[in-house]
Amino acid sequence: MPRTVYVNGEYLPETEARVSIFDRGFLFADGVYEVTSVLDGKLIDFDGHAARLQRSLGELQMANPTTREALLEIHRELVRRNDITDGLIYLQVTRGSDGDRDFVFPAEDTPPTIVLFTQDKPGLADNPVARKGFKIISIEDQRWARRDIKTVQLLYPSMGKMMAKAAGCDDAWMVEDGFVTEGTSNNAYIVTQDGTIVTRQLSNDILHGITRAAVLRFAREAQIRVEERPFTIEEAQAAREAFITSASAFVMPVVEIDGKPVSDGNVGKMATRIREIYLEEMRKAAV
Ligand code: PDD
């Protein structure tokens, strides 16, 4: 069964969906995206993703082709039409096309392109890897300087995943000026020996993760100490625990960094607890 996808106002079989070869998303990576997870047929933190989409578009002076309400309806319709119980919804908005290639932005009335599609992931929240944990490598952060904008220019993160794979690992943490920025597609955390969760503070250096915001809120509510500051790979290797967060992995323990086990190399208690709290609370609040 081909998926039903959404392109510029129409629901179409994926085999019939079309975007211009002149689309600026294709030619210049001039577009932004969001990934929202679906658990039990409901959207996790939809409002967080809708708000960040608006922010990314605003930072790039790109028009928002939709409203929060219309976007919610499209998400729900795609969940229905594709019969998704657990999975992901990918959304992309680009600056569209005025029928040629030009570095200069097209006229302001050029319609943006909006595309959404589903990814069916049965048992997304019961991922067995969460019981095993991720092995990661560190790599230099060679991305552009506006990582707070969720653009579709993901070539370097994609290369980072390939470097991790070649090293027999699951992912890579990127390092700039000696400090970890974030994972290739997730935010990075450690738990210090005294039980404090440490993650880099928000700035243009990292994506302002929607999962990060929720996890830090739940941690503080559970009276767990949180410090938002940079940390090094050496500090992470000497930490009690490490983990990552994203809309698709939720909270994923990290058990090895550059070949060194974190503590005894087993999944940590704090990461497991935070994952449980996150999934329980977010399922309750899902729409
Ligand atoms: N990635 N940092 C980067 C560089 C990311 O690409 C992502 C998300 C995150 C986590 O953000 P959030 O919690 O809002 O998902 C942090 C998505 C899942 C992706 O590219 O598939």
Side-chain angles (χ1 to χ4, degrees), residues 3 25 37 65 76 123 134 169 186 202 207 217 254 271 274 279:
R3 277 177 284 200
S37 58
R76 285 178 163 161
F134 265 18
C169 289
N186 44 66
L202 296 182
L207 185 73
R217 190 172 74 243
V254 167
I274 296 278
L279 285 169

Side-chain angles (χ1 to χ4, degrees), residues 33 35 52 150 182 184-187 207 209-211 246-248:
Y33 77 107
V35 176
R52 186 174 59 192
K150 200 165 171 56
E182 57 188 331
T184 58
S185 62
N186 44 66
N187 289 116
L207 185 73
I210 302 305
T211 319
S246 75
S248 50

Side-chain angles (χ1 to χ4, degrees), residues 57-88:
L57 291 169
E59 291 299 306
L60 297 174
Q61 289 96 48
M62 215 184 278
N64 190 341
T66 171
T67 61
R68 176 207 171 269
E69 288 67 33
L71 201 56
L72 177 58
E73 190 43 44
I74 298 166
H75 277 72
R76 285 178 163 161
E77 189 62 24
L78 285 176
V79 168
R80 270 194 293 272
R81 291 192 188 219
N82 293 289
D83 201 13
I84 303 291
T85 304
D86 296 335
L88 302 172

